[in-house]
Structure formats: structure tokens, C-alpha cells
Amino acid sequence: MATDPPPTTPTAAPAAAPEGATLALSLRDGYRFEVTFEPPGMPALLTDLGPPLGAHHGPNPERLLAAAVANCLAASLLFALRKFGHEPGTLRARATLHMVRNSQGRLRVGRIEVDLLLGVAAAALPRLDRALAQFEAFCSVTESVRAAFPVEVQVFDGDGQRVR
């Protein structure tokens, strides 16, 4: 009976996780903020609220949270696939944010749904099942926010077949 070869090391090891991160916000006008990140040289980001307060001149905080969850999941899946020597083709993610009102009538994030879309068929990734079984555990953002609300994750291969 043949056994799988041991997992390979990704070509570039992930950088050591920082103990924290520093960013700064500066009001530009209305409800639009410029966000700058450390280290210096990282591109700034403009955020804004939607009407009636803002003008949608940038993502709002809830959209940034959904983007952070989707990005972290996509990077975690990519890491897990590469650990087993697989390249997923063009990996894409789509996040849907669902807002709810709490008992005081205030808007809160109710849940986030994330679809991860591989660029190749599952058949081209013989150890896909092993990567799928572990990738979410690598995602610090998703695992952190799940304490507050559900994050639902689906993975589809390049043929559009749901594989998780």
C-alpha cells in the first residue's frame, strides 16, 4: 500500500507573526478617515460610512471586517494547499456580510459567509481533503471573530463543485 509523501515546506516560510499591529486614523472630512499602517511605506486606506452620515467614499468598518475574514481564510487555504505541494490556480474569495439589530435596535454583524473559489479542479489536488481539514485553524481573524458571530465557509473547485 502506497503512502503519501510527507508534506512539503512552502517555498517561502510565513513571516513571524507580530505581537500586535499599529495603525492610525485621521479624519479627512464628513465620516471619511485615512488609515495609515506601520511599518512606514504601506499604502494608506480611506474609509467612510454610508449615507446618511457618509458618502461611501471607501469601505465602512463592517466591510473591512468581512474583507479581513475573507482574506485571512484565503491566505490560510493557500498556505495549507502549498504545504501539501499544491497550487490552487487563481484563488478568489467572496464574502457576504449580514447585519442584524440587537435588542436595543443597534446594528451588529450577525454573520459572515465566505466562499473560497479555487482556480483548478479538485482532481488536480490529490491532498485537497487534508488541506481542507486544517486550513481554518490557521486563520487568526476568523477564529477570533467566531466568538462573537458565525462565520460560514464554503470552498468550490475550478469546476464550480462544492468541495467543502
Side-chain angles (χ1 to χ4, degrees):
M1 176 173 169
T3 60
D4 283 338
T8 60
T9 303
T11 54
E19 292 297 319
T22 302
L23 57 89
L25 279 81
S26 178
L27 179 63
R28 291 296 171 225
D29 55 59
Y31 284 84
R32 188 168 53 153
F33 287 86
E34 179 181 54
V35 185
T36 55
F37 302 90
E38 294 290 332
M42 291 182 79
L45 173 69
L46 289 177
T47 65
D48 197 4
L49 299 182
L53 299 175
H56 280 307
H57 287 140
N60 64 19
E62 297 86 358
R63 287 183 173 144
L64 290 173
L65 180 61
V69 168
N71 181 247
C72 191
L73 284 165
S76 295
L77 179 57
L78 181 61
F79 177 83
L81 288 167
R82 286 181 172 167
K83 187 168 86 167
F84 292 105
H86 294 321
E87 283 298 325
T90 301
L91 178 60
R92 296 176 295 129
R94 179 178 46 237
T96 304
L97 175 71
H98 297 272
M99 301 298 292
V100 297
R101 292 202 180 267
N102 67 10
S103 60
Q104 292 82 33
R106 296 186 181 113
L107 280 173
R108 299 292 183 255
V109 175
R111 76 178 191 279
I112 296 175
E113 298 169 358
V114 178
D115 291 343
L116 298 169
L117 313 160
L118 301 170
V120 298
L125 307 169
R127 287 181 236 119
L128 175 62
D129 59 332
R130 293 176 69 188
L132 292 174
Q134 60 183 254
F135 82 95
E136 287 186 61
F138 298 132
C139 183
S140 59
V141 175
T142 300
E143 292 303 299
S144 297
V145 301
R146 276 191 168 140
F149 55 82
V151 177
E152 300 164 10
V153 182
Q154 297 184 105
V155 180
F156 297 87
D157 75 358
D159 293 331
Q161 298 298 308
R162 183 176 176 200
V163 294
R164 182 187 177 290

